């Protein structure tokens, strides 16, 4: 008998979770956003600069490799 009671309780718990709807989703979303630790302005600025510098550097390296490969293929083909 305890098993059937447990099954009923589980199904009731599932039903209550489904009843929340859109309002429940928004409440949960707000709760999750309150848990986020947002970076301060200084940290955000430093990280943004690091990403921009590394992106430009990587782009330059890729462009250099591309020019070398084009030059090498042009030399081999002609």
């Amino acid at each position: 008998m305890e098993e059937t009671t447990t099954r009923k309780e589980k199904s009731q718990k599932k039903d209550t979770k489904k009843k929340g709807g859109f309002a429940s989703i928004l409440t949960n979303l707000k709760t999750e956003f309150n848990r986020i630790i947002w970076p301060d302005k200084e940290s955000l600025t430093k990280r943004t600069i690091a990403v921009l510098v590394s992106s430009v550097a990587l782009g330059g390296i890729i462009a250099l490799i591309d020019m070398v490969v084009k030059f090498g293929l042009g030399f081999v083909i002609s």
Side-chain angles (χ1 to χ4, degrees):
M1 283 226 163
E2 288 181 30
E3 273 186 60
T4 56
T5 306
T6 306
R7 288 182 187 166
K8 286 181 184 177
E9 288 174 359
K10 286 182 182 179
S11 67
Q12 287 174 350
K13 286 181 183 177
K14 287 181 184 177
D15 290 342
T16 56
K17 287 182 183 177
K18 290 180 184 177
K19 289 182 183 178
F22 190 68
S24 175
I25 292 172
L26 290 179
T27 303
N28 290 337
L29 186 64
K30 184 178 178 182
T31 303
E32 289 298 322
F33 266 98
N34 288 335
R35 291 181 185 173
I36 296 173
I37 300 172
W38 299 100
D40 58 321
K41 188 175 180 178
E42 182 182 341
S43 175
L44 185 64
T45 304
K46 286 181 182 180
R47 291 177 185 186
T48 302
I49 290 171
V51 167
L52 290 174
V53 168
S54 61
S55 296
V56 169
L58 186 59
I61 291 169
I62 291 172
L64 182 65
I65 291 171
D66 184 49
M67 288 177 17
V68 169
V69 169
K70 280 183 182 179
F71 177 75
L73 287 176
F75 185 73
V76 169
I77 292 174
S78 55

